[in-house]
Amino acid sequence: MFCEPRRNKLVSHVGNTYSNIVYLFAGICVLLSCCLGVTTDAAGEPTTTGGGGGVFWLPDAVFGVMLMLLGLFSVLWHSSNAPKSHYPDLFTMDACIAYLIIRNAAMVLLALSSSVSCAMYVCLGLYIFFLTRISRFRLGNGYYMFNSGPWDYCCRFSGRRRLTDNDMDINGVCLFSAMPCFYMVIPTLLQVFVVKSVGSMYAGTIASTALAFGWSVRMFERFCLDGWWLQNAIIPNNQKTPPTTLQVLGSAVVSPTGTLHWTTGLTLLFGYVWVRSLDQVILSTM
C-alpha cells in the first residue's frame, strides 16, 4: 500500500510515522489558543471583539483534541501496521479534515445573524453530529475494533484494490487529483459573498499551497497512481541487500504519505489561523 519500504523493526515506516509530529504540534497550538479564554460582557455573553480564545473557542478546542488524537493514532498505525489501529486513524483523519469546512459554514451564520453564542453552539452541534456519523462509518460504533472489519485484511481504497475491483480509471484519477479544489469551494464562497475579505493572506496562501502540494505528491502513492520514482531511486525495487541507514532516511524524507502528513498538518494549522483572522473581520463589522 505504501511506497516507503516496510522494516521489520519497532517503527515499520519511518517517514510515515514521524511526520505525524506536525499534527501533534498543530493540536497543541489550537488548544493553547483556546485556553486564552473569551472576553465576556456584563450579561456573560462573549463580546464581539473575539478576544482571547475567540468566539468559537469550544468547538475549536474539540478540533484541537482531535488533532492530537490523529497524531497519536496515525503513529500507531504507521509504526505497527496493525489492522485494528487503522480504524481510529481514519476516523480522526476525517474528523480533522472536515472541521474547517464546518467552521466556515458556522462563520456564515455568525456574519448573517450577528449572534456570537448561536454561531458557536451551532458549530459545536454540527461538529459533534458529524463525529457521531463518521464514527459509525469508520469504527462501526466500535464493532470493527473488536470484531471483523472491512480493513482487517486489505485497504479497500488502495490503488491495487481498486484495480482488482475495476474501481479506478482515468476519470477517477482526475476526480481525486481535483480534491484540493473541491475543499476550497466553501471557504472561497465565504470570502467572496459573505465576508468580502481574504483574511490573513499569508495564512491562507500557506494552507492552500501545502494542501495542493501534499495531495499532488500523495497521488503517486499506491492510491491512484503508482510511480513515485524518487522512492525507487533511493531504494531500488530489485535491491537484494537490506537498505542502509542513509537509504532509510532518504526514503522517509520523500515518502508520499509522510509528505501528505506534514503538508496536511500545515494546511490544518494555517487554515485554523486563517479562519481566526476571518473571525476578526466579521466581528469588526458587527
mmCIF file of all heavy atoms in Angstrom, residues 114-135:
data_model
loop_
_atom_site.group_PDB
_atom_site.id
_atom_site.type_symbol
_atom_site.label_atom_id
_atom_site.label_comp_id
_atom_site.label_asym_id
_atom_site.label_seq_id
_atom_site.Cartn_x
_atom_site.Cartn_y
_atom_site.Cartn_z
ATOM 1 N N SER A 114 -25.308 37.791 13.459
ATOM 2 C CA SER A 114 -24.633 38.629 14.465
ATOM 3 C C SER A 114 -24.798 38.083 15.877
ATOM 4 O O SER A 114 -24.633 38.812 16.852
ATOM 5 C CB SER A 114 -25.152 40.080 14.417
ATOM 6 O OG SER A 114 -24.905 40.650 13.145
ATOM 7 N N SER A 115 -25.133 36.793 15.986
ATOM 8 C CA SER A 115 -25.274 36.155 17.300
ATOM 9 C C SER A 115 -24.053 35.285 17.556
ATOM 10 O O SER A 115 -23.894 34.226 16.931
ATOM 11 C CB SER A 115 -26.553 35.308 17.352
ATOM 12 O OG SER A 115 -26.621 34.595 18.573
ATOM 13 N N VAL A 116 -23.214 35.736 18.478
ATOM 14 C CA VAL A 116 -21.973 35.027 18.746
ATOM 15 C C VAL A 116 -22.243 33.649 19.356
ATOM 16 O O VAL A 116 -21.711 32.636 18.907
ATOM 17 C CB VAL A 116 -21.073 35.866 19.679
ATOM 18 C CG1 VAL A 116 -19.834 35.091 20.079
ATOM 19 C CG2 VAL A 116 -20.682 37.169 19.007
ATOM 20 N N SER A 117 -23.072 33.611 20.392
ATOM 21 C CA SER A 117 -23.350 32.342 21.074
ATOM 22 C C SER A 117 -24.030 31.342 20.144
ATOM 23 O O SER A 117 -23.699 30.149 20.142
ATOM 24 C CB SER A 117 -24.226 32.590 22.308
ATOM 25 O OG SER A 117 -23.554 33.366 23.261
ATOM 26 N N CYS A 118 -24.988 31.816 19.365
ATOM 27 C CA CYS A 118 -25.708 30.937 18.439
ATOM 28 C C CYS A 118 -24.751 30.308 17.445
ATOM 29 O O CYS A 118 -24.797 29.096 17.213
ATOM 30 C CB CYS A 118 -26.790 31.722 17.725
ATOM 31 S SG CYS A 118 -27.702 30.759 16.494
ATOM 32 N N ALA A 119 -23.872 31.101 16.867
ATOM 33 C CA ALA A 119 -22.929 30.585 15.878
ATOM 34 C C ALA A 119 -22.005 29.547 16.489
ATOM 35 O O ALA A 119 -21.723 28.516 15.880
ATOM 36 C CB ALA A 119 -22.125 31.737 15.281
ATOM 37 N N MET A 120 -21.530 29.816 17.718
ATOM 38 C CA MET A 120 -20.606 28.880 18.352
ATOM 39 C C MET A 120 -21.277 27.545 18.649
ATOM 40 O O MET A 120 -20.731 26.473 18.364
ATOM 41 C CB MET A 120 -20.045 29.460 19.644
ATOM 42 C CG MET A 120 -19.002 28.534 20.298
ATOM 43 S SD MET A 120 -18.445 29.068 21.914
ATOM 44 C CE MET A 120 -19.873 28.678 22.932
ATOM 45 N N TYR A 121 -22.495 27.593 19.213
ATOM 46 C CA TYR A 121 -23.151 26.340 19.584
ATOM 47 C C TYR A 121 -23.659 25.580 18.360
ATOM 48 O O TYR A 121 -23.729 24.341 18.386
ATOM 49 C CB TYR A 121 -24.285 26.612 20.573
ATOM 50 C CG TYR A 121 -23.771 26.969 21.951
ATOM 51 C CD1 TYR A 121 -23.990 28.228 22.498
ATOM 52 C CD2 TYR A 121 -23.041 26.041 22.692
ATOM 53 C CE1 TYR A 121 -23.505 28.559 23.753
ATOM 54 C CE2 TYR A 121 -22.547 26.358 23.950
ATOM 55 C CZ TYR A 121 -22.771 27.617 24.469
ATOM 56 O OH TYR A 121 -22.285 27.936 25.711
ATOM 57 N N VAL A 122 -24.019 26.271 17.311
ATOM 58 C CA VAL A 122 -24.376 25.584 16.062
ATOM 59 C C VAL A 122 -23.149 24.876 15.493
ATOM 60 O O VAL A 122 -23.233 23.725 15.046
ATOM 61 C CB VAL A 122 -24.958 26.581 15.041
ATOM 62 C CG1 VAL A 122 -25.007 25.949 13.646
ATOM 63 C CG2 VAL A 122 -26.349 27.018 15.454
ATOM 64 N N CYS A 123 -22.015 25.549 15.525
ATOM 65 C CA CYS A 123 -20.770 24.935 15.046
ATOM 66 C C CYS A 123 -20.439 23.701 15.867
ATOM 67 O O CYS A 123 -20.092 22.640 15.324
ATOM 68 C CB CYS A 123 -19.633 25.954 15.123
ATOM 69 S SG CYS A 123 -18.039 25.340 14.509
ATOM 70 N N LEU A 124 -20.549 23.815 17.190
ATOM 71 C CA LEU A 124 -20.269 22.681 18.065
ATOM 72 C C LEU A 124 -21.236 21.530 17.797
ATOM 73 O O LEU A 124 -20.827 20.362 17.707
ATOM 74 C CB LEU A 124 -20.362 23.120 19.523
ATOM 75 C CG LEU A 124 -20.140 22.030 20.579
ATOM 76 C CD1 LEU A 124 -18.727 21.475 20.491
ATOM 77 C CD2 LEU A 124 -20.413 22.582 21.984
ATOM 78 N N GLY A 125 -22.526 21.853 17.652
ATOM 79 C CA GLY A 125 -23.520 20.814 17.393
ATOM 80 C C GLY A 125 -23.293 20.107 16.074
ATOM 81 O O GLY A 125 -23.396 18.878 15.994
ATOM 82 N N LEU A 126 -22.989 20.874 15.025
ATOM 83 C CA LEU A 126 -22.727 20.274 13.715
ATOM 84 C C LEU A 126 -21.498 19.367 13.761
ATOM 85 O O LEU A 126 -21.494 18.273 13.162
ATOM 86 C CB LEU A 126 -22.523 21.367 12.666
ATOM 87 C CG LEU A 126 -23.763 22.141 12.220
ATOM 88 C CD1 LEU A 126 -23.372 23.275 11.283
ATOM 89 C CD2 LEU A 126 -24.764 21.210 11.530
ATOM 90 N N TYR A 127 -20.484 19.800 14.474
ATOM 91 C CA TYR A 127 -19.253 19.004 14.535
ATOM 92 C C TYR A 127 -19.470 17.714 15.316
ATOM 93 O O TYR A 127 -19.019 16.643 14.897
ATOM 94 C CB TYR A 127 -18.138 19.829 15.165
ATOM 95 C CG TYR A 127 -16.761 19.218 14.975
ATOM 96 C CD1 TYR A 127 -16.391 18.645 13.761
ATOM 97 C CD2 TYR A 127 -15.828 19.228 16.007
ATOM 98 C CE1 TYR A 127 -15.137 18.094 13.584
ATOM 99 C CE2 TYR A 127 -14.560 18.689 15.835
ATOM 100 C CZ TYR A 127 -14.221 18.111 14.622
ATOM 101 O OH TYR A 127 -12.968 17.561 14.451
ATOM 102 N N ILE A 128 -20.164 17.804 16.433
ATOM 103 C CA ILE A 128 -20.447 16.593 17.207
ATOM 104 C C ILE A 128 -21.323 15.634 16.412
ATOM 105 O O ILE A 128 -21.117 14.416 16.426
ATOM 106 C CB ILE A 128 -21.115 16.960 18.553
ATOM 107 C CG1 ILE A 128 -20.104 17.684 19.446
ATOM 108 C CG2 ILE A 128 -21.642 15.709 19.254
ATOM 109 C CD1 ILE A 128 -20.675 18.158 20.757
ATOM 110 N N PHE A 129 -22.318 16.182 15.702
ATOM 111 C CA PHE A 129 -23.166 15.335 14.854
ATOM 112 C C PHE A 129 -22.321 14.632 13.793
ATOM 113 O O PHE A 129 -22.494 13.428 13.545
ATOM 114 C CB PHE A 129 -24.248 16.182 14.187
ATOM 115 C CG PHE A 129 -25.087 15.421 13.197
ATOM 116 C CD1 PHE A 129 -26.066 14.547 13.629
ATOM 117 C CD2 PHE A 129 -24.895 15.578 11.825
ATOM 118 C CE1 PHE A 129 -26.840 13.831 12.709
ATOM 119 C CE2 PHE A 129 -25.657 14.883 10.908
ATOM 120 C CZ PHE A 129 -26.639 13.998 11.347
ATOM 121 N N PHE A 130 -21.387 15.385 13.164
ATOM 122 C CA PHE A 130 -20.517 14.781 12.161
ATOM 123 C C PHE A 130 -19.652 13.691 12.782
ATOM 124 O O PHE A 130 -19.458 12.617 12.174
ATOM 125 C CB PHE A 130 -19.625 15.845 11.519
ATOM 126 C CG PHE A 130 -18.635 15.296 10.533
ATOM 127 C CD1 PHE A 130 -19.008 14.993 9.230
ATOM 128 C CD2 PHE A 130 -17.318 15.047 10.915
ATOM 129 C CE1 PHE A 130 -18.098 14.461 8.328
ATOM 130 C CE2 PHE A 130 -16.408 14.517 10.022
ATOM 131 C CZ PHE A 130 -16.797 14.226 8.725
ATOM 132 N N LEU A 131 -19.125 13.932 13.973
ATOM 133 C CA LEU A 131 -18.274 12.937 14.633
ATOM 134 C C LEU A 131 -19.040 11.644 14.908
ATOM 135 O O LEU A 131 -18.498 10.546 14.739
ATOM 136 C CB LEU A 131 -17.706 13.496 15.933
ATOM 137 C CG LEU A 131 -16.694 14.637 15.817
ATOM 138 C CD1 LEU A 131 -16.237 15.089 17.190
ATOM 139 C CD2 LEU A 131 -15.495 14.230 14.968
ATOM 140 N N THR A 132 -20.288 11.775 15.334
ATOM 141 C CA THR A 132 -21.079 10.572 15.609
ATOM 142 C C THR A 132 -21.379 9.798 14.328
ATOM 143 O O THR A 132 -21.351 8.565 14.322
ATOM 144 C CB THR A 132 -22.393 10.932 16.311
ATOM 145 O OG1 THR A 132 -23.134 11.857 15.501
ATOM 146 C CG2 THR A 132 -22.125 11.572 17.658
ATOM 147 N N ARG A 133 -21.634 10.516 13.241
ATOM 148 C CA ARG A 133 -21.934 9.844 11.977
ATOM 149 C C ARG A 133 -20.698 9.172 11.392
ATOM 150 O O ARG A 133 -20.750 8.040 10.926
ATOM 151 C CB ARG A 133 -22.511 10.848 10.977
ATOM 152 C CG ARG A 133 -23.800 11.515 11.415
ATOM 153 C CD ARG A 133 -24.911 10.515 11.658
ATOM 154 N NE ARG A 133 -25.278 9.799 10.431
ATOM 155 C CZ ARG A 133 -26.196 8.843 10.357
ATOM 156 N NH1 ARG A 133 -26.825 8.466 11.460
ATOM 157 N NH2 ARG A 133 -26.477 8.270 9.218
ATOM 158 N N ILE A 134 -19.578 9.901 11.411
ATOM 159 C CA ILE A 134 -18.371 9.341 10.806
ATOM 160 C C ILE A 134 -17.816 8.199 11.655
ATOM 161 O O ILE A 134 -17.154 7.301 11.148
ATOM 162 C CB ILE A 134 -17.301 10.448 10.591
ATOM 163 C CG1 ILE A 134 -16.286 10.009 9.533
ATOM 164 C CG2 ILE A 134 -16.578 10.774 11.884
ATOM 165 C CD1 ILE A 134 -16.850 9.829 8.160
ATOM 166 N N SER A 135 -18.107 8.213 12.953
ATOM 167 C CA SER A 135 -17.647 7.113 13.809
ATOM 168 C C SER A 135 -18.368 5.819 13.442
ATOM 169 O O SER A 135 -17.789 4.730 13.509
ATOM 170 C CB SER A 135 -17.878 7.444 15.281
ATOM 171 O OG SER A 135 -19.254 7.482 15.592
#
